Amino acid sequence: QVQLVESGGGLVQAGGSLRLSCAASGLTFTRYVMGWFRQAPGKEREFVVGVRWDSGNTVYADSVKGRFTISRDNAKSTVYLQMNSLKPEDTAVYYCAADGPFIVRVGVRASDYDYWGQGTQVTVSS
């Protein structure tokens, strides 16, 4: 079965950095859009960033543009989220998600994605 396993979350001070990883198995990774979403307490799950299977299309939420960078290593079936200049409002559970196969456009809605990881907590202190 498909498994997405996130890692790399933790507690960091404002202005700091974290790198999240999501290791995928049970699917042909090179055919899937990979996305990151986040959900803060009491709020809806929101789109953060997504990258197409060939890295030919990447979409960022306005709130993270210039601070977060998504990348994927297809040889390792892993997608990464480099988060710099973190702010307290970035505090949330971060989820990795997969959409595919061979989706042309990166979806920005949670309903666009077929598979989800269990999430990893990111806490940014002020």
Coordinates of all heavy atoms in Angstrom, one line a residue, residues 9-86:
G9 N 10.3 17.5 11.6 CA 9.7 18.5 12.4 C 10.4 18.8 13.7 O 11.2 18.0 14.1
G10 N 9.9 19.8 14.4 CA 10.5 20.1 15.7 C 10.2 21.5 16.2 O 9.3 22.2 15.6
L11 N 10.9 21.9 17.2 CA 10.8 23.2 17.8 C 12.0 24.1 17.4 O 13.1 23.7 17.5 CB 10.7 23.1 19.3 CG 10.8 24.4 20.1 CD1 9.5 25.2 19.8 CD2 10.9 24.1 21.6
V12 N 11.6 25.3 16.9 CA 12.7 26.2 16.4 C 12.3 27.6 16.8 O 11.1 27.9 16.9 CB 12.9 26.1 14.9 CG1 11.6 26.4 14.1 CG2 14.1 26.8 14.4
Q13 N 13.3 28.5 17.0 CA 13.0 29.9 17.3 C 12.6 30.6 16.0 O 13.1 30.2 14.9 CB 14.2 30.5 17.9 CG 14.4 30.1 19.4 CD 15.5 30.9 20.1 OE1 16.4 31.4 19.4 NE2 15.4 31.0 21.4
A14 N 11.9 31.7 16.1 CA 11.6 32.5 15.0 C 12.9 33.0 14.3 O 13.8 33.3 14.9 CB 10.8 33.7 15.4
G15 N 12.8 32.9 13.0 CA 14.0 33.2 12.2 C 14.9 32.0 11.8 O 15.8 32.1 11.0
G16 N 14.6 30.9 12.5 CA 15.3 29.7 12.2 C 14.9 28.9 11.0 O 14.0 29.4 10.3
S17 N 15.5 27.8 10.9 CA 15.2 26.9 9.7 C 14.9 25.5 10.1 O 15.4 25.0 11.1 CB 16.4 27.0 8.7 OG 16.6 28.2 8.2
L18 N 14.2 24.8 9.3 CA 13.9 23.4 9.4 C 13.8 22.8 8.0 O 13.4 23.5 7.1 CB 12.6 23.1 10.2 CG 12.6 23.2 11.7 CD1 11.2 22.9 12.2 CD2 13.6 22.2 12.3
R19 N 14.2 21.5 7.9 CA 14.0 20.8 6.7 C 13.2 19.6 6.9 O 13.6 18.7 7.7 CB 15.4 20.4 6.1 CG 15.3 19.8 4.7 CD 16.6 19.1 4.3 NE 16.7 18.9 2.9 CZ 17.5 17.9 2.4 NH1 18.2 17.2 3.2 NH2 17.6 17.8 1.1
L20 N 12.0 19.5 6.3 CA 11.2 18.4 6.3 C 11.4 17.4 5.2 O 11.8 17.9 4.1 CB 9.7 18.8 6.3 CG 9.2 19.8 7.3 CD1 7.7 20.1 7.2 CD2 9.6 19.4 8.7
S21 N 11.3 16.1 5.5 CA 11.4 15.1 4.4 C 10.1 14.3 4.4 O 9.5 14.1 5.4 CB 12.6 14.2 4.7 OG 13.8 14.9 4.8
C22 N 9.8 13.8 3.2 CA 8.7 12.9 3.1 C 9.1 11.7 2.2 O 9.4 11.9 1.0 CB 7.5 13.6 2.5 SG 6.1 12.5 2.0
A23 N 9.2 10.5 2.7 CA 9.7 9.4 2.0 C 8.4 8.6 1.5 O 7.5 8.3 2.4 CB 10.5 8.5 2.8
A24 N 8.3 8.3 0.2 CA 7.2 7.7 -0.3 C 7.5 6.2 -0.7 O 8.6 5.9 -1.1 CB 6.7 8.4 -1.6
S25 N 6.5 5.4 -0.6 CA 6.6 4.0 -1.0 C 5.3 3.5 -1.4 O 4.2 4.1 -1.1 CB 7.2 3.1 0.1 OG 6.3 3.1 1.2
G26 N 5.3 2.4 -2.3 CA 4.0 1.9 -2.7 C 3.4 2.6 -3.9 O 2.3 2.2 -4.3
L27 N 4.1 3.5 -4.5 CA 3.6 4.2 -5.7 C 4.8 4.5 -6.6 O 5.9 4.5 -6.1 CB 2.8 5.5 -5.3 CG 3.5 6.6 -4.4 CD1 4.6 7.3 -5.2 CD2 2.4 7.5 -3.9
T28 N 4.5 4.8 -7.8 CA 5.6 5.2 -8.8 C 5.8 6.6 -8.6 O 5.1 7.5 -9.2 CB 5.2 4.8 -10.2 OG1 4.8 3.4 -10.3 CG2 6.3 5.1 -11.2
F29 N 6.8 7.0 -7.7 CA 7.0 8.3 -7.3 C 7.1 9.3 -8.4 O 6.7 10.4 -8.4 CB 8.2 8.3 -6.4 CG 8.5 9.7 -5.7 CD1 7.8 10.1 -4.6 CD2 9.5 10.5 -6.2 CE1 8.0 11.3 -4.0 CE2 9.8 11.7 -5.6 CZ 9.0 12.1 -4.5
T30 N 7.8 8.9 -9.5 CA 8.1 9.8 -10.6 C 6.9 10.2 -11.4 O 7.0 11.0 -12.3 CB 9.1 9.1 -11.5 OG1 8.6 7.8 -11.9 CG2 10.5 9.0 -10.9
R31 N 5.7 9.6 -11.0 CA 4.5 9.9 -11.8 C 3.5 10.8 -11.0 O 2.4 11.2 -11.4 CB 3.7 8.7 -12.2 CG 4.5 7.8 -13.1 CD 3.8 6.5 -13.4 NE 4.6 5.6 -14.3 CZ 4.1 4.4 -14.7 NH1 3.0 4.0 -14.3 NH2 4.9 3.7 -15.5
Y32 N 4.0 11.2 -9.7 CA 3.1 11.9 -8.8 C 3.5 13.3 -8.5 O 4.7 13.6 -8.3 CB 2.9 11.1 -7.5 CG 2.0 10.0 -7.6 CD1 2.4 8.8 -8.3 CD2 0.7 10.0 -7.1 CE1 1.5 7.7 -8.4 CE2 -0.2 9.0 -7.2 CZ 0.2 7.8 -7.9 OH -0.6 6.8 -8.0
V33 N 2.5 14.2 -8.5 CA 2.7 15.5 -7.9 C 2.8 15.3 -6.4 O 2.0 14.5 -5.8 CB 1.4 16.4 -8.2 CG1 1.4 17.7 -7.3 CG2 1.4 16.8 -9.7
M34 N 3.7 16.0 -5.8 CA 3.9 15.9 -4.4 C 3.7 17.3 -3.8 O 4.1 18.3 -4.3 CB 5.3 15.5 -4.0 CG 5.7 14.1 -4.5 SD 4.6 12.8 -3.9 CE 4.9 12.9 -2.2
G35 N 2.9 17.3 -2.7 CA 2.6 18.6 -2.1 C 2.8 18.6 -0.6 O 2.9 17.5 0.1
W36 N 2.9 19.7 0.0 CA 2.9 19.9 1.4 C 1.8 20.8 1.8 O 1.5 21.9 1.2 CB 4.2 20.6 1.9 CG 5.4 19.7 1.8 CD1 6.3 19.6 0.8 CD2 5.9 18.8 2.8 NE1 7.3 18.7 1.1 CE2 7.1 18.2 2.3 CE3 5.4 18.4 4.1 CZ2 7.8 17.2 3.0 CZ3 6.1 17.5 4.8 CH2 7.3 16.9 4.3
F37 N 1.1 20.4 2.9 CA 0.0 21.2 3.5 C 0.3 21.3 4.9 O 1.2 20.7 5.5 CB -1.3 20.4 3.3 CG -1.9 20.4 1.9 CD1 -1.4 19.6 0.9 CD2 -3.0 21.2 1.6 CE1 -1.9 19.6 -0.4 CE2 -3.6 21.2 0.4 CZ -3.0 20.4 -0.6
R38 N -0.4 22.2 5.6 CA -0.3 22.4 7.0 C -1.6 22.7 7.7 O -2.5 23.2 7.0 CB 0.8 23.5 7.4 CG 0.4 24.9 6.9 CD 1.5 25.8 7.2 NE 1.2 27.2 6.8 CZ 2.0 28.2 6.8 NH1 3.3 28.0 7.1 NH2 1.6 29.4 6.5
Q39 N -1.7 22.3 8.9 CA -2.9 22.6 9.7 C -2.6 23.0 11.1 O -1.9 22.3 11.8 CB -3.8 21.3 9.7 CG -5.2 21.6 10.3 CD -6.1 20.5 10.0 OE1 -5.7 19.3 9.6 NE2 -7.4 20.7 10.1
A40 N -3.0 24.2 11.4 CA -2.8 24.8 12.7 C -4.1 24.5 13.6 O -5.1 24.2 13.0 CB -2.6 26.3 12.7
P41 N -3.9 24.5 14.9 CA -5.1 24.2 15.8 C -6.3 25.1 15.5 O -6.1 26.3 15.4 CB -4.5 24.4 17.2 CG -3.1 24.1 17.0 CD -2.7 24.6 15.7
G42 N -7.4 24.5 15.3 CA -8.6 25.3 15.0 C -8.8 25.8 13.6 O -9.7 26.6 13.4
K43 N -7.8 25.5 12.8 CA -7.9 26.0 11.4 C -8.0 24.9 10.4 O -7.7 23.7 10.7 CB -6.6 26.9 11.1 CG -6.5 28.1 11.9 CD -5.4 29.0 11.5 CE -5.3 30.3 12.3 NZ -4.2 31.2 11.8
E44 N -8.4 25.2 9.2 CA -8.5 24.3 8.1 C -7.1 23.9 7.6 O -6.2 24.7 7.7 CB -9.4 24.8 7.0 CG -10.8 24.9 7.4 CD -11.7 25.2 6.2 OE1 -11.2 25.5 5.1 OE2 -12.9 25.3 6.4
R45 N -7.0 22.8 7.0 CA -5.7 22.4 6.3 C -5.5 23.3 5.1 O -6.4 23.5 4.3 CB -5.8 20.9 5.9 CG -4.5 20.4 5.5 CD -4.5 18.8 5.4 NE -4.9 18.2 6.6 CZ -4.8 16.9 6.8 NH1 -4.4 16.1 5.8 NH2 -5.1 16.4 8.0
E46 N -4.3 23.9 5.0 CA -4.0 24.8 4.0 C -2.8 24.3 3.1 O -1.9 23.7 3.6 CB -3.7 26.2 4.5 CG -2.5 26.4 5.3 CD -2.2 27.8 5.6 OE1 -2.8 28.7 5.1 OE2 -1.2 28.0 6.4
F47 N -2.9 24.7 1.9 CA -1.8 24.3 0.9 C -0.6 25.2 1.2 O -0.7 26.4 1.5 CB -2.3 24.6 -0.5 CG -1.3 24.5 -1.6 CD1 -0.9 23.2 -2.0 CD2 -0.7 25.6 -2.1 CE1 0.0 23.1 -3.1 CE2 0.2 25.5 -3.1 CZ 0.6 24.2 -3.6
V48 N 0.6 24.6 1.1 CA 1.8 25.3 1.3 C 2.6 25.3 0.0 O 3.0 26.4 -0.5 CB 2.7 24.6 2.4 CG1 4.1 25.2 2.5 CG2 2.0 24.5 3.7
V49 N 2.8 24.2 -0.6 CA 3.6 24.1 -1.9 C 3.4 22.8 -2.5 O 3.1 21.8 -1.8 CB 5.1 24.4 -1.6 CG1 5.7 23.4 -0.6 CG2 5.9 24.4 -2.9
G50 N 3.5 22.7 -3.8 CA 3.5 21.5 -4.5 C 4.4 21.5 -5.7 O 4.7 22.6 -6.3
V51 N 4.9 20.3 -6.1 CA 5.8 20.2 -7.2 C 5.3 19.0 -8.1 O 5.0 18.0 -7.6 CB 7.3 20.0 -6.8 CG1 7.4 18.7 -5.9 CG2 8.2 20.0 -8.0
R52 N 5.4 19.3 -9.4 CA 4.9 18.3 -10.4 C 5.9 17.1 -10.5 O 7.1 17.3 -10.0 CB 4.7 18.9 -11.8 CG 3.8 18.1 -12.6 CD 3.4 18.9 -13.9 NE 4.6 19.0 -14.8 CZ 4.6 19.7 -15.9 NH1 3.4 20.2 -16.3 NH2 5.6 19.7 -16.7
W53 N 5.5 16.0 -11.0 CA 6.3 14.8 -11.0 C 7.7 15.0 -11.8 O 8.7 14.4 -11.4 CB 5.5 13.7 -11.7 CG 4.8 14.1 -13.0 CD1 3.6 14.7 -13.0 CD2 5.3 14.1 -14.3 NE1 3.2 15.0 -14.3 CE2 4.3 14.6 -15.1 CE3 6.4 13.6 -14.9 CZ2 4.4 14.7 -16.5 CZ3 6.6 13.7 -16.3 CH2 5.5 14.2 -17.1
D54 N 7.7 16.0 -12.7 CA 8.9 16.2 -13.5 C 9.6 17.5 -13.0 O 10.5 18.0 -13.7 CB 8.7 16.3 -15.0 CG 7.7 17.4 -15.3 OD1 7.1 18.1 -14.4 OD2 7.5 17.7 -16.5
S55 N 9.1 18.1 -11.9 CA 9.7 19.4 -11.4 C 9.4 20.5 -12.3 O 10.0 21.6 -12.2 CB 11.1 19.3 -11.0 OG 11.3 18.3 -10.0
G56 N 8.6 20.3 -13.4 CA 8.3 21.3 -14.4 C 7.3 22.4 -13.9 O 7.2 23.4 -14.6
N57 N 6.7 22.2 -12.8 CA 5.7 23.1 -12.3 C 5.7 23.1 -10.8 O 5.5 22.0 -10.2 CB 4.3 22.8 -12.9 CG 3.2 23.7 -12.4 OD1 2.1 23.3 -11.9 ND2 3.5 25.0 -12.4
T58 N 6.0 24.2 -10.2 CA 6.0 24.3 -8.8 C 5.1 25.5 -8.4 O 5.2 26.6 -9.0 CB 7.4 24.6 -8.2 OG1 8.3 23.5 -8.7 CG2 7.4 24.6 -6.7
V59 N 4.3 25.3 -7.4 CA 3.3 26.3 -6.9 C 3.5 26.5 -5.4 O 3.6 25.5 -4.6 CB 1.9 25.9 -7.2 CG1 0.9 27.0 -6.7 CG2 1.7 25.7 -8.7
Y60 N 3.7 27.8 -5.0 CA 3.8 28.1 -3.6 C 2.7 29.0 -3.1 O 2.2 29.8 -3.9 CB 5.1 28.9 -3.4 CG 6.4 28.2 -3.5 CD1 7.0 28.0 -4.7 CD2 7.0 27.6 -2.4 CE1 8.2 27.3 -4.9 CE2 8.2 26.9 -2.5 CZ 8.8 26.7 -3.7 OH 10.0 26.0 -3.8
A61 N 2.3 28.8 -1.9 CA 1.3 29.7 -1.3 C 2.0 31.0 -1.1 O 3.2 31.1 -0.8 CB 0.9 29.1 0.1
D62 N 1.3 32.1 -1.2 CA 1.9 33.4 -1.0 C 2.6 33.6 0.3 O 3.6 34.3 0.4 CB 0.8 34.5 -1.2 CG 0.4 34.6 -2.6 OD1 1.1 34.2 -3.6 OD2 -0.7 35.2 -2.9
S63 N 2.0 33.0 1.3 CA 2.5 33.1 2.7 C 3.9 32.6 2.9 O 4.6 32.9 3.9 CB 1.6 32.5 3.7 OG 1.4 31.1 3.4
V64 N 4.4 31.7 2.0 CA 5.7 31.1 2.2 C 6.7 31.4 1.0 O 7.8 31.0 1.1 CB 5.6 29.5 2.3 CG1 4.6 29.2 3.4 CG2 5.1 28.9 1.0
K65 N 6.2 32.1 0.0 CA 7.1 32.4 -1.1 C 8.3 33.2 -0.6 O 8.2 34.1 0.2 CB 6.3 33.3 -2.1 CG 5.4 32.5 -3.0 CD 4.8 33.4 -4.1 CE 3.8 32.7 -5.0 NZ 3.1 33.6 -5.9
G66 N 9.5 32.7 -1.1 CA 10.7 33.4 -0.7 C 11.3 32.9 0.5 O 12.5 33.2 0.9
R67 N 10.6 32.0 1.3 CA 11.1 31.5 2.5 C 11.2 30.0 2.5 O 12.1 29.4 3.1 CB 10.2 31.9 3.7 CG 10.0 33.4 3.9 CD 9.3 33.7 5.2 NE 7.9 33.2 5.2 CZ 7.4 32.3 6.1 NH1 8.2 31.9 7.1 NH2 6.2 31.9 6.0
F68 N 10.2 29.3 1.8 CA 10.2 27.9 1.7 C 10.6 27.4 0.3 O 10.3 28.1 -0.7 CB 8.8 27.3 2.0 CG 8.3 27.5 3.4 CD1 9.0 28.3 4.4 CD2 7.2 26.8 3.8 CE1 8.6 28.4 5.7 CE2 6.7 26.9 5.2 CZ 7.4 27.7 6.1
T69 N 11.3 26.3 0.3 CA 11.6 25.7 -1.0 C 11.3 24.2 -1.0 O 11.8 23.5 -0.1 CB 13.1 25.9 -1.3 OG1 13.5 27.3 -1.2 CG2 13.5 25.4 -2.7
I70 N 10.6 23.8 -2.0 CA 10.4 22.4 -2.2 C 11.3 21.8 -3.2 O 11.7 22.4 -4.2 CB 8.9 22.1 -2.7 CG1 8.5 20.6 -2.6 CG2 8.7 22.6 -4.1 CD1 7.1 20.3 -2.8
S71 N 11.7 20.5 -3.0 CA 12.6 19.8 -3.9 C 12.2 18.3 -3.8 O 11.6 17.9 -2.8 CB 14.1 20.0 -3.7 OG 14.4 19.6 -2.4
R72 N 12.6 17.6 -4.9 CA 12.3 16.2 -4.9 C 13.5 15.4 -5.4 O 14.1 15.9 -6.4 CB 11.0 15.9 -5.6 CG 11.0 16.2 -7.1 CD 9.6 16.0 -7.7 NE 9.2 14.6 -7.7 CZ 7.9 14.2 -7.8 NH1 7.0 15.1 -7.9 NH2 7.6 12.9 -7.7
D73 N 13.7 14.3 -4.8 CA 14.8 13.4 -5.3 C 14.1 12.1 -5.8 O 13.7 11.3 -5.0 CB 15.8 13.1 -4.2 CG 16.9 12.3 -4.6 OD1 16.8 11.5 -5.7 OD2 18.0 12.3 -4.0
N74 N 13.8 12.0 -7.1 CA 13.1 10.9 -7.6 C 13.8 9.6 -7.4 O 13.2 8.5 -7.3 CB 12.8 11.1 -9.1 CG 11.7 12.2 -9.3 OD1 10.9 12.5 -8.3 ND2 11.6 12.7 -10.5
A75 N 15.1 9.6 -7.4 CA 15.9 8.4 -7.1 C 15.6 7.8 -5.7 O 15.7 6.6 -5.5 CB 17.4 8.6 -7.4
K76 N 15.3 8.7 -4.8 CA 15.1 8.3 -3.4 C 13.6 8.3 -3.1 O 13.3 8.0 -1.9 CB 15.9 9.2 -2.4 CG 17.4 9.1 -2.6 CD 18.0 10.0 -1.5 CE 19.6 9.9 -1.6 NZ 20.2 10.8 -0.6
S77 N 12.8 8.6 -4.0 CA 11.3 8.7 -3.8 C 11.0 9.6 -2.5 O 10.2 9.3 -1.7 CB 10.7 7.3 -3.6 OG 10.9 6.6 -4.7
T78 N 11.7 10.7 -2.5 CA 11.6 11.6 -1.3 C 11.4 13.0 -1.8 O 12.0 13.5 -2.8 CB 12.9 11.5 -0.5 OG1 13.0 10.2 0.0 CG2 12.8 12.4 0.7
V79 N 10.5 13.7 -1.1 CA 10.3 15.2 -1.3 C 10.7 15.9 -0.1 O 10.5 15.4 1.0 CB 8.9 15.5 -1.8 CG1 7.9 15.1 -0.7 CG2 8.7 16.9 -2.2
Y80 N 11.3 17.1 -0.2 CA 11.8 17.9 0.9 C 11.1 19.2 0.9 O 10.7 19.8 -0.1 CB 13.3 18.1 0.7 CG 14.1 16.8 0.6 CD1 14.5 16.3 -0.6 CD2 14.5 16.1 1.7 CE1 15.2 15.1 -0.8 CE2 15.2 14.9 1.6 CZ 15.6 14.4 0.4 OH 16.3 13.3 0.2
L81 N 11.1 19.8 2.1 CA 10.6 21.1 2.3 C 11.6 21.9 3.2 O 11.7 21.6 4.4 CB 9.2 21.2 2.9 CG 8.6 22.6 3.1 CD1 8.4 23.3 1.8 CD2 7.3 22.5 3.9
Q82 N 12.4 22.8 2.5 CA 13.3 23.6 3.3 C 12.6 24.8 3.7 O 12.0 25.6 2.9 CB 14.5 24.0 2.4 CG 15.5 24.9 3.1 CD 16.2 24.2 4.2 OE1 16.6 23.0 4.1 NE2 16.4 24.9 5.3
M83 N 12.5 25.1 5.0 CA 11.8 26.2 5.6 C 12.8 27.1 6.3 O 13.4 26.8 7.2 CB 10.7 25.7 6.6 CG 9.8 24.7 6.0 SD 8.5 24.3 7.1 CE 9.4 23.4 8.4
N84 N 12.9 28.3 5.7 CA 13.8 29.4 6.3 C 13.0 30.5 6.8 O 11.8 30.7 6.5 CB 14.8 29.8 5.2 CG 15.7 28.7 4.7 OD1 16.0 27.8 5.4 ND2 16.1 28.8 3.4
S85 N 13.6 31.3 7.6 CA 13.0 32.6 8.2 C 11.6 32.2 8.8 O 10.6 32.9 8.5 CB 12.8 33.6 7.1 OG 14.1 33.9 6.5
L86 N 11.6 31.2 9.6 CA 10.4 30.7 10.1 C 9.7 31.8 11.1 O 10.4 32.5 11.8 CB 10.6 29.4 10.9 CG 10.7 28.2 9.9 CD1 11.3 27.0 10.6 CD2 9.3 27.8 9.4

